[in-house]
Amino acid sequence: MNTAEVKLRAMEPEDLDLLYRIENDQQLWDAGPTSVPYSRYLLHNYIATAKGDIYADQQVRFVAENRVGETVGTADITNFDAKHRRAEVGIVIARQHRRQGYGTAILQQLADYALHVLHLHQLYAVVATDNVISQQLFEKAGYNYVSELKEWLYDGEKYHDAVLMQIFF
């Protein structure tokens, strides 16, 4: 599989502006649990206080960089469940870097990390049914459609269906 070269790294204080833009992009809110803007103060505290330990934080967040050091997006492993050895995955690719293979490369690295470092049995993603591009991305990375979740996502005005996608190791 031909994918772009990408490196995942821990978030640094210098990533505050990036995180601020992503977390406050209302077009992304429908894809996740966010429904209010985050302040710089709150995001600064998150970066400063995150332990970098998924058992303590119940999540791990990465910044993705291409081979020339440009930030191309972020990736999260959240809703970590140590007992059942599973977690949810989410990624955001900067608009100017979409459709260049970075999403696939990021999902491959997250899968490798989940399997070899966290020793997880599975990762899953919840994707809006109308977000066909994201569904195709997850399928390309080895995720399988599991089921449709009726009225799963709420945009502040109406509910939208989503699909649950999983990859097993």
Side-chain angles (χ1 to χ4, degrees):
M1 183 181 309
N2 239 355
T3 59
E5 188 177 322
V6 70
K7 177 180 87 169
L8 298 180
R9 63 166 176 80
M11 288 206 159
E12 299 286 350
E14 296 79 18
D15 297 318
L16 178 60
D17 288 338
L18 168 71
L19 191 59
Y20 184 79
R21 279 192 310 275
I22 289 171
E23 294 296 345
N24 290 299
D25 183 345
Q26 292 185 21
Q27 292 180 341
L28 299 174
W29 287 2
D30 294 343
T34 302
S35 60
V36 296
Y38 284 97
S39 70
R40 285 185 185 281
Y41 176 78
L42 186 66
L43 294 171
H44 175 271
N45 282 349
Y46 167 77
I47 292 172
T49 61
K51 308 262 186 297
D53 176 358
I54 198 163
Y55 289 94
D57 298 332
Q58 298 300 297
Q59 66 177 340
V60 61
R61 301 188 79 175
F62 298 99
V63 172
E65 294 180 343
N66 64 16
R67 61 180 155 75
V68 295
E70 294 176 305
T71 299
V72 297
T74 61
D76 307 327
I77 295 178
T78 60
N79 297 323
F80 172 68
D81 186 328
K83 178 180 179 185
H84 299 292
R85 297 178 48 218
R86 67 176 172 240
E88 185 173 358
V89 65
I91 65 170
V92 175
I93 305 298
R95 282 181 180 80
Q96 69 271 26
H97 294 290
R98 291 182 182 164
R99 296 185 139 332
Q100 297 175 33
Y102 293 117
T104 303
I106 290 168
L107 289 176
Q108 288 173 341
Q109 285 196 28
L110 286 177
D112 185 63
Y113 179 79
L115 175 62
H116 295 105
V117 177
L118 301 177
H119 307 290
L120 295 182
H121 173 63
Q122 65 176 290
L123 290 174
Y124 66 91
V126 175
V127 182
T129 54
D130 63 353
N131 191 345
V132 176
I133 292 171
S134 288
Q135 290 177 44
Q136 291 170 344
L137 168 65
F138 280 96
E139 286 174 0
K140 185 176 179 181
Y143 285 69
N144 293 305
Y145 169 90
V146 176
S147 65
E148 189 167 328
L149 304 167
K150 295 292 186 186
E151 298 183 4
W152 196 258
L153 304 171
Y154 184 65
D155 68 7
E157 295 179 14
K158 63 180 183 172
Y159 288 93
H160 301 272
D161 296 345
V163 295
L164 176 64
M165 303 183 79
Q166 290 174 295
I167 188 170
F168 293 92
F169 309 114

